[in-house]
Amino acid sequence: MRYLPLTEADRGAMLSTIGVDSVDALFSELPTGDLSFDLPDHQGELEVEQALTAFARENISCADAPSFLGAGNYRHHTPASLDYLIQRGEFLTAYTPYQPEISQGTLQTIFEFQTQVALMTDMEVANASMYDGATGCAEAAAMACRVTKRNKILVSGGVHAHYRDVTQTQLKHIGLTIECLAPDPIGIEDLIGRIDDDLACVVVQNPGFFGHLVDLSPLAEECHSHGVLLVVCVAEPVSLGLVTAPGTMGADIVVGEGQSLAGPASFGGPGVGLFATREKFIRQMPGRLCGETTDEDGRRGFVLTLSTREQHIRREKATSNICTNSGLIALAFSIHVTLLGEAGFTKLAAINHANAVTLAERVGVLAGVKVVPQNFFNEFAVTLPKPAADVVDELAVKGILAGVPASRFYPQYEELSNVLLVAATEMTTEACVDALVAGLKKVL
Amino acid sequence: MTNPNQKNVADASQTVSGHRGLSFEEAIIFEIDTPGSSAVDLPEPEHDRDRLGGLRRRGGVGLPGLSEPDVVRHYTRLSQKNYSIDSGFYPLGSCTMKHNPRLNEKMARLPGLADIHPFQPASTAQGAYRLMDTLAHWLKELTGLPAIALSPAAGAHGELCGLMCIRAALQASGDARSVVLVPESAHGTNPATAAICGYAVESIPGNGNGRVDLNALKERLGPDVAAVMITNPNTCGLFETEAKEIADAVHTAGAYFYMDGANFNAIVGRVTLAELGVDAMHINLHKTFSTPHGGGGPGAGPTVLSEALAAFAPVPFVVHGPRGLAMAEHAGQGEAQHSFGRMKGFQGQFGVFVRAVAYMMSFGKDGLRQVSGDAVLNANYLRVRLSEELTASYDGICMHEALFDDRFLKDTGITTLDFAKAMIDEGFHPPTMYFPLVVHGALLMEPTETESKATLDQFCESVLALARKAKRGDAVDDFKNAPVLTPRRRLDETQAARKPVLRWKPVPMPQAAE
């Protein structure tokens, strides 16, 4: 067995040192029972590769079809050096940096990541990562309740359905009231009118799930005049290169999904949760934080800090139960942002927007098709003259991944059945758009 | 804080550049900014018609510009400041730092597994669904439990999944219980999880030989107890020999038995959870099934469930339908009618699933039995050899990790921390320190099955020599100063917490006129 270094001779020598007769004797305290597993025996590397390749072949890769899929998970190009760097064994096969003297590499990259996230969202501080955007959203709402000492949460209908569902699920047993507004494809919900002094926070998403870009400043102002925190979700961090940042508009907590800048969709996971807030709230933050300090020789170094918030110290009084988070994906996110730099990041965002505007112009003129949001970044909802799920299935047969039907998230809302989400990124070529337009003409 | 007794080792190798041979000093990216530079060449946008509604970001983001060679060198240098399983022995107790096969990385990067979208039509993603179904089958077989939730993102998330299922099952039967019992030796995530699931947490004492005190547990069980969470093998590295009696007592009291599966590596292929009376257990794929720890994740914490809890599993999960495999995505509907909800965006940690499946297929059922065998053999070998100078906390056979305490350092003036830091200079990652809390100054060592006898022997000889040196009493300062051969020496954690600096900030510049 290629991954096991011990030889039979080693095992024999070690058993005699220990003073037992067999490896099985080490397990004599375990109950005996049926161990006839319906599983195959070991296989060589070649056979495993063939088996996994067979799984892969049953899928249509987004590389092989024009793809307009988004809904919180976006396909971007990643530079070759990114995937090389995250596969360096010193990053890939290290544990959480509990021994800072031999973990300065991981720690400094976390410090840089925290800084990048804070700058991109225009917030003061960020943590070392959450599992994903959806769990980050739940943690943000819980944190807002701790900060305000209130227990009511209001979730906009423009928030990703998964973020909403995870928030409802995760917080349902700790005495909080969560009001979730109906999905809002047209962008007409009134949040400002619902703000009152009992509310801990309002959770919104920008750009919204249906694509709308909204100036959140008036909402932030109303929130703050009632002591309410504004939680803003960002499902597409590339938007931060072109769109006014949540922090600039008055957000108190910003959470996001970093996948789109970190690497391939990988069927939706692992992603990385971004979590940023105001400095005055740091002691209520969930998750790990890396801080700067000095070593015994007075040199700058980094450590995990403020761990009295965390489960391994605080146990049942911790701000969250999170331990393992999404370190390597945070590193991938950070490396990509470093590779892009200011010039690349803002240009990437501009390209995404330009391609989305082109897409809207091309599909918006098709008979019976209407682009819903007036303002958007790289994704928007369209209404079709027939059910969007049918259109998606018909175009999938033609080798086009046409987008995500809103009914996938809201099967119970009849009025959303004709709504389709389409996204364009720098990967969306003119040929892709031509294919979609031709396909839509055929099936509509 | 400077230790007056320290030898100033840094001075001995002072250089003009600050680098020391192969040990490079590396600035923060923001300090090596060349404004305008980028490591990515992008075309100009096709046009500038905008639909931003006036929400164009003003002012810069503030990110630095670097060329590709600068970026590659930056991260390469930083990587070299890390200890890793690739480069050395990492006996970090309860973390299962085993070899990460690169085949798994290669498989996770196949375009048909990496470049697929969570919301592709089911007809275009049957291979992904089948891979998830395959993983579910392996984990259900290996544990003997009938159901599984794949979506939890890590161990603590899996604990929450299990407790949420238990809470849903109790609610469904109209039984409102309010307390979760946790042994005093438990991981911190157990009580933290119980608390965010809305339960009061009470601690159960140990019995003096490192196991749960069955009588104390029985005494506390009652109509208010919802669940008992027990790690097995436990955090002392010992098998809970009364696991079945514990399960029976828990069930008799109308409560559920949650087993923390952090240490599943010790028993994989050797006992089923069905045999142990378990209702729910999370499996850390990033421990037992060797997906890389990545400096703090990502992990995955699939949670196996007994028949009594199966109906309450969170969405999404794969179902077999008339048109092939499908995903149940909505709690309250169809097969997910009783689901307690959703824990995670999208379809779970799919990329981690791919790696775990590649690992399981490589070992097969015969190999996995050898995995637990060698893991336990290696731990017992360390226990016996190191007992020559160190003090093992409990007598007799251990499972996959060996627990020592600081009695061997009594009256030396050297602490567990000092001893661990000295191990760093010897080229080893220290064991888990000061955990579990039930022994004084703990050193918890988990060698895993992927270490050779030669590595273990070298480790033992180094640690025994250090112990003898500590007991001699003439080298206390060496321990207090350790480590000295690392990129940084001991760091001031008090300063970091007292005045938190959590990000880089530009040096303030004189205000320019707008």
Side-chain angles (χ1 to χ4, degrees):
Chain A
M1 183 15 88
R2 60 191 179 278
Y3 303 143
L4 297 177
L6 295 185
T7 64
E8 273 311 312
D10 291 334
R11 291 186 185 109
M14 293 164 76
L15 286 168
S16 92
T17 303
I18 298 164
V20 294
D21 295 336
S22 66
V23 170
D24 286 351
L26 297 169
F27 293 90
S28 59
E29 287 181 335
L30 273 61
T32 50
D34 178 18
L35 294 174
S36 57
F37 305 112
D38 172 24
L39 297 169
D41 281 336
H42 69 275
Q43 297 179 65
E45 188 158 331
L46 174 61
E47 289 72 30
V48 175
E49 227 179 286
Q50 287 165 338
L52 271 290
T53 304
F55 287 117
R57 287 212 178 109
E58 285 177 58
N59 300 325
I60 294 184
S61 155
C62 296
D64 294 332
S67 170
F68 300 87
L69 296 159
N73 197 288
Y74 303 90
R75 183 163 184 263
H76 293 287
H77 180 255
T78 44
S81 52
L82 162 62
D83 199 39
Y84 157 72
L85 287 167
I86 63 165
Q87 285 193 78
R88 285 189 64 91
E90 302 93 328
F91 286 133
L92 184 74
T93 74
Y95 199 74
T96 301
Y98 288 141
Q99 296 285 347
E101 300 89 349
I102 47 174
S103 311
Q104 284 298 303
T106 294
L107 286 161
Q108 184 170 330
T109 64
I110 296 173
F111 188 79
E112 293 174 347
F113 169 81
Q114 290 175 176
T115 307
Q116 288 169 325
V117 172
L119 287 168
M120 291 162 78
T121 54
D122 193 21
M123 300 298 286
E124 289 163 355
V125 289
N127 77 7
S129 82
M130 310 305 293
Y131 305 132
D132 69 357
T135 55
C137 179
E139 293 276 11
M143 174 177 144
C145 293
R146 290 194 296 274
V147 167
T148 59
K149 300 190 167 63
R150 299 176 184 177
N151 58 14
K152 260 178 67 184
I153 296 159
L154 178 66
V155 182
S156 153
V159 170
H160 194 292
H162 285 185
Y163 291 31
R164 176 204 63 193
D165 290 351
V166 171
T167 302
Q168 279 186 308
T169 301
Q170 191 164 319
L171 306 186
K172 68 174 160 186
H173 297 307
I174 47 175
L176 307 177
T177 309
I178 306 166
E179 185 187 359
C180 298
L181 301 180
D184 179 32
I186 311 172
I188 49 167
E189 74 183 1
D190 172 31
L191 290 169
I192 289 181
R194 292 170 188 270
I195 308 297
D196 61 40
D197 292 341
D198 293 335
L199 209 51
C201 66
V202 181
V203 184
V204 299
Q205 180 176 317
N206 208 37
F209 183 65
F210 296 97
H212 299 277
L213 275 181
V214 177
D215 181 1
L216 299 169
S217 310
L219 176 63
E221 207 169 295
E222 185 68 11
C223 282
H224 297 156
S225 72
H226 291 274
V228 177
L229 301 193
L230 178 61
V231 176
V232 180
C233 305
V234 179
E236 170 52 298
V238 174
S239 67
L240 298 169
L242 185 66
V243 176
T244 307
T248 315
M249 296 191 278
D252 297 289
I253 307 173
V254 180
V255 295
E257 172 56 67
Q259 168 276 326
S260 86
L261 279 168
S266 187
F267 210 47
V272 49
L274 314 177
F275 196 107
T277 189
R278 304 280 171 208
E279 201 150 8
K280 61 184 173 190
F281 300 141
I282 54 175
R283 283 170 208 275
Q284 292 298 338
M285 283 176 89
R288 292 187 178 125
L289 289 167
C290 170
E292 186 183 313
T293 186
T294 51
D295 79 348
E296 287 198 334
D297 293 330
R299 296 174 296 180
R300 177 171 69 187
F302 304 93
V303 291
L304 293 178
T305 192
L306 298 175
S307 53
T308 50
R309 301 162 300 113
E310 292 185 71
Q311 46 77 25
H312 61 283
I313 308 287
R314 241 330 154 61
R315 299 174 81 85
E316 66 268 24
K317 292 190 177 64
T319 56
S320 166
N321 71 334
I322 194 167
C323 180
T324 289
N325 46 89
S326 206
L328 195 74
I329 315 297
L331 174 66
F333 176 98
S334 186
I335 291 174
H336 195 186
V337 172
T338 303
L339 285 161
L340 286 164
E342 179 84 11
F345 181 56
T346 51
K347 196 176 199 182
L348 178 68
I351 294 169
N352 272 256
H353 185 58
N355 288 358
V357 170
T358 302
L359 178 66
E361 290 167 352
R362 295 281 308 276
V363 301
V365 296
L366 297 174
V369 179
K370 186 174 171 294
V371 174
V372 179
Q374 185 60 41
N375 306 310
F376 54 82
F377 173 62
N378 69 352
E379 182 176 32
F380 48 86
V382 294
T383 53
L384 303 175
K386 61 189 267 194
D390 296 347
V391 171
V392 164
D393 284 341
E394 288 169 52
L395 290 181
V397 175
K398 297 179 193 300
I400 299 166
L401 299 169
V404 185
S407 59
R408 179 129 189 197
F409 303 94
Y410 299 106
Q412 71 279 33
Y413 286 86
E414 196 63 36
E415 65 272 29
L416 293 180
S417 65
N418 290 6
V419 174
L420 178 69
L421 295 178
V422 288
T425 71
E426 76 284 0
M427 307 286 267
T428 312
T429 62
E430 201 179 329
C432 293
V433 179
D434 290 345
L436 178 66
V437 168
L440 284 172
K441 278 181 180 165
K442 277 195 200 124
V443 303
L444 291 182
Chain B
M1 228 171 346
T2 310
N3 179 340
N5 298 323
Q6 79 189 38
K7 290 180 212 151
N8 203 338
V9 175
D11 277 353
S13 57
Q14 205 86 66
T15 58
V16 177
S17 64
H19 305 318
R20 285 188 280 171
L22 279 177
S23 179
F24 296 100
E25 286 298 291
E26 184 60 13
I28 295 170
I29 47 171
F30 297 90
E31 297 163 343
I32 46 180
D33 176 20
T34 307
S37 275
S38 176
V40 183
D41 290 325
L42 292 165
E44 290 305 314
E46 302 253 321
H47 60 82
D48 61 0
R49 298 187 295 281
D50 106 38
R51 291 188 62 169
L52 298 171
L55 284 177
R56 185 178 287 272
R57 186 168 183 151
R58 286 179 230 288
V61 179
L63 300 171
L66 285 77
S67 67
E68 181 173 303
D70 288 338
V71 175
V72 170
R73 184 165 293 166
H74 176 73
Y75 289 102
T76 301
R77 285 181 169 183
L78 288 186
S79 75
Q80 290 168 341
K81 298 176 192 294
N82 272 1
Y83 199 90
S84 70
I85 190 71
D86 273 3
S87 57
F89 183 43
Y90 218 125
L92 198 57
S94 129
C95 300
T96 315
M97 291 300 285
K98 59 168 76 174
H99 172 63
N100 300 139
R102 290 314 196 274
L103 170 64
N104 307 349
E105 295 304 308
K106 184 179 175 187
M107 295 300 94
R109 286 166 171 79
L110 291 173
L113 297 177
D115 202 354
I116 54 173
H117 191 281
F119 303 127
Q120 285 184 211
S123 63
T124 69
Q126 286 294 299
Y129 290 21
R130 200 160 66 79
L131 186 137
M132 291 170 72
D133 204 42
T134 301
L135 175 66
H137 174 72
W138 275 85
L139 296 177
K140 288 189 289 188
E141 275 296 311
L142 289 170
T143 57
L145 290 192
I148 186 162
L150 290 182
S151 65
H157 211 215
E159 293 170 23
L160 182 60
C161 175
L163 286 195
M164 288 237 165
C165 283
I166 290 168
R167 189 147 182 161
L170 286 168
Q171 272 174 349
S173 59
D175 190 350
R177 292 168 177 244
S178 57
V179 177
V180 166
L181 305 180
V182 171
E184 57 188 359
S185 62
H187 294 118
T189 51
N190 292 175
T193 300
I196 66 166
C197 198
Y199 286 114
V201 182
E202 288 182 32
S203 187
I204 294 295
N207 66 3
N209 65 10
R211 274 89 171 179
V212 172
D213 184 334
L214 180 60
N215 289 329
L217 175 71
K218 279 180 174 168
E219 215 156 278
R220 180 57 192 87
L221 281 168
D224 60 335
V225 175
V228 177
M229 301 178 85
I230 287 177
T231 307
N232 197 13
N234 66 26
T235 60
C236 300
L238 303 172
F239 190 76
E240 291 286 353
T241 42
E242 293 176 315
K244 190 71 182 92
E245 289 80 356
I246 291 171
D248 289 343
V250 168
H251 291 148
T252 304
Y256 288 90
F257 182 22
Y258 186 88
M259 182 161 139
D260 182 323
N263 295 337
F264 189 56
N265 200 50
I267 56 172
V268 62
R270 297 196 174 257
V271 65
T272 65
L273 306 189
E275 205 71 48
L276 299 175
V278 172
D279 291 299
M281 182 187 86
H282 74 263
I283 299 163
N284 307 69
L285 296 184
H286 49 294
K287 293 182 179 174
T288 308
F289 298 105
S290 186
T291 70
H293 282 73
T303 304
V304 286
L305 301 167
S306 65
E307 202 66 59
L309 299 179
F312 306 100
V315 290
F317 52 84
V318 174
V319 292
H320 294 252
R323 292 194 295 170
L325 298 175
M327 199 71 79
E329 294 185 315
H330 299 282
Q333 293 176 22
E335 292 91 337
Q337 201 184 341
H338 301 291
S339 167
F340 73 73
R342 172 180 282 277
M343 301 194 73
K344 175 86 178 65
F346 313 122
Q347 320 294 10
Q349 303 285 68
F350 183 80
V352 180
F353 302 163
V354 177
R355 291 168 174 87
V357 167
Y359 176 87
M360 288 175 180
M361 284 183 168
S362 295
F363 271 111
K365 64 172 185 293
D366 55 333
L368 288 172
R369 189 178 162 84
Q370 191 71 58
V371 162
S372 50
D374 284 0
V376 171
L377 178 64
N378 278 355
N380 277 287
Y381 186 67
L382 285 191
R383 178 181 58 80
V384 170
R385 283 214 58 190
L386 294 179
S387 291
E388 199 181 316
E389 296 290 345
L390 274 61
T391 38
S393 299
Y394 299 101
D395 294 333
I397 302 293
C398 65
M399 298 304 287
H400 65 305
E401 53 195 355
L403 177 61
F404 300 90
D405 52 50
D406 63 3
R407 281 172 296 159
F408 77 103
L409 294 172
K410 192 167 183 291
D411 302 328
T412 61
I414 293 162
T415 65
T416 289
L417 179 78
D418 301 329
F419 194 78
K421 297 298 183 191
M423 290 164 80
I424 292 177
D425 277 335
E426 290 290 335
F428 300 105
H429 195 286
T432 294
M433 313 175 301
Y434 300 104
F435 181 86
L437 308 171
V438 291
V439 301
H440 199 268
L443 282 166
L444 182 65
M445 302 187 188
E446 180 180 6
T448 85
E449 71 283 2
T450 60
E451 297 300 333
S452 67
K453 180 171 178 292
T455 299
L456 300 182
D457 283 335
Q458 189 192 37
F459 175 73
C460 288
E461 278 142 31
S462 307
V463 172
L464 291 171
L466 281 178
R468 284 189 285 267
K469 182 175 168 184
K471 290 175 189 179
R472 269 203 325 264
D474 57 357
V476 177
D477 287 348
D478 286 357
F479 285 91
K480 294 287 172 198
N481 287 329
V484 294
L485 302 175
T486 45
R488 286 293 179 270
R489 299 186 52 215
R490 289 194 204 184
L491 290 126
D492 188 344
E493 301 192 12
T494 311
Q495 174 195 327
R498 193 180 296 149
K499 260 192 87 180
V501 177
L502 305 178
R503 59 172 283 194
W504 176 85
K505 279 184 185 149
V507 182
M509 300 278 277
Q511 202 76 49
E514 285 271 79

